[in-house]
Amino acid sequence: MESWVAAFILAALGLGMAQVVAAARFRARILRLAARLHDTPATRDIEDRLPPIVADFARRAGAEPGAGLRVATFAQDGELRLRQGGRFAPTVAWQVVALGRAGFLWDARQSLGPVETLRVIDAFVAAEGVLEARLFGSVPVARLSGRELTLGEAFRYLAELPWAPDAILGNPDLVWRVTGSDRVEVRLATQAGTARVTFTFDANGDVTGMEAKDRPARDGSGRMTRLDWRGRFGDYRQIGPRRLPEYGEVGYDWPGLGYEPYFRGRIRDYHVAP
């Protein structure tokens, strides 16, 4: 009996140590991805290429053309559901957004009390998409890559530009086109195809809506498909050095079911850095 107990304890200790090591390696991978974003080119002055409504939006946010910034970072408090029709779960996240070239890293966590139950990274780094999830920060449950994911992440970078006004004024890879009195399309060419997102502006010149056609996504069975995608922004206020929409929400238009959001949250602790 004593030998069995000792063997059980040793096995438990070994498993615990393995999880600690795996979690540490995952954290190191996240930090390496973030470091690559910090090494991207700085913003340039491209204001003369922008439609006036877009340039005005970025300037009112506090962005300045040619400021030589590389990244914006911020925290999020929100809710995320991992599948169509699923329950929302409280989620906190840290995000890094490249400003002079397309790229981002979203490091999100869900917890039960003091225990971290799930950690997810969603990223677009060096023109490639990455999606990885781990239980307890150590046990792999999903790791995706490939052309469809890369294109989907390019869509996400564009959709979140209201949270990165310095990229609007300073990322030369973005191409803007007015499509209506209050609507502007932005597009980004990638090795996996071209992502296009349309923003809607209100009477004050603030972005309130986002929509896109045919974004790569997974259906209820986990198969890749293309879905229309949309979201909204609101509650503009000063967050750190920028005037930004504190609230954001995004979801898919499911055939026959309509719009269903899968993430909604608020940002805080906003910073920009050269």
Side-chain angles (χ1 to χ4, degrees), residues 57 84 109 131 136 193 246:
F57 170 82
Q84 179 190 359
R109 306 181 189 197
L131 178 61
F136 311 112
E246 182 185 42

Side-chain angles (χ1 to χ4, degrees), residues 101-102 124 127 150-151 154-155 157-158 172-175 186-196:
R101 178 168 293 169
F124 184 62
T150 290
L151 182 58
F155 272 89
Y157 177 82
L158 296 179
D173 296 336
L174 307 180
V175 180
V186 59
R187 68 179 186 269
L188 173 66
T190 77
Q191 60 184 357
T194 299
R196 290 180 172 85

Side-chain angles (χ1 to χ4, degrees), residues 14-246:
L15 179 60
M17 287 300 297
Q19 289 184 334
V20 168
V21 170
R25 288 177 176 172
F26 193 43
R27 288 194 298 271
R29 172 171 163 75
I30 292 169
L31 292 175
R32 286 196 299 271
L33 290 172
R36 294 180 71 181
L37 294 175
H38 280 268
D39 288 339
T40 53
T43 53
R44 294 162 50 187
D45 183 356
I46 60 165
E47 186 175 9
D48 59 352
R49 306 183 195 178
L50 304 179
I53 192 172
V54 174
D56 289 347
F57 170 82
R59 277 194 169 276
R60 284 190 301 107
E64 297 181 6
L69 300 173
R70 297 182 188 276
V71 296
T73 61
F74 54 89
Q76 285 180 331
D77 297 308
E79 296 179 303
L80 173 71
R81 54 178 153 206
L82 298 175
R83 65 181 185 278
Q84 179 190 359
R87 292 183 178 181
F88 277 106
T91 304
V92 296
W94 170 65
Q95 185 156 335
V96 182
V97 182
L99 301 174
R101 178 168 293 169
F104 71 89
L105 167 70
W106 188 66
D107 175 17
R109 306 181 189 197
Q110 294 180 347
S111 301
L112 185 61
V115 179
E116 179 183 301
T117 56
L118 183 69
R119 190 167 187 176
V120 179
I121 57 170
D122 194 29
F124 184 62
V125 178
E128 292 187 359
V130 177
L131 178 61
E132 191 168 350
R134 296 198 178 197
L135 291 175
F136 311 112
S138 60
V139 181
V141 292
R143 185 168 184 177
L144 304 175
S145 59
R147 290 179 60 84
E148 288 293 275
L149 180 67
T150 290
L151 182 58
E153 303 296 23
F155 272 89
R156 175 170 175 172
Y157 177 82
L158 296 179
E160 295 183 347
L161 284 171
W163 285 333
D166 295 275
I168 294 174
L169 286 185
N171 184 344
D173 296 336
L174 307 180
V175 180
W176 299 84
R177 180 173 68 95
V178 174
T179 59
S181 60
D182 62 350
R183 294 166 62 85
V184 180
E185 178 194 81
V186 59
R187 68 179 186 269
L188 173 66
T190 77
Q191 60 184 357
T194 299
R196 290 180 172 85
V197 163
T198 296
F199 293 113
T200 302
F201 294 77
D202 67 10
N204 297 319
D206 289 333
V207 174
T208 56
M210 175 281 297
E211 61 184 61
K213 295 286 187 182
D214 298 327
R215 186 196 184 212
R218 291 190 175 272
D219 63 17
S221 302
R223 294 171 297 189
M224 290 302 300
T225 185
R226 297 287 181 100
L227 293 172
D228 292 347
W229 190 52
R230 57 190 170 101
R232 64 188 184 93
F233 295 95
D235 296 343
Y236 278 78
R237 68 178 185 86
Q238 194 75 19
I239 306 175
R242 299 290 181 263
R243 178 184 178 273
L244 304 165
E246 182 185 42

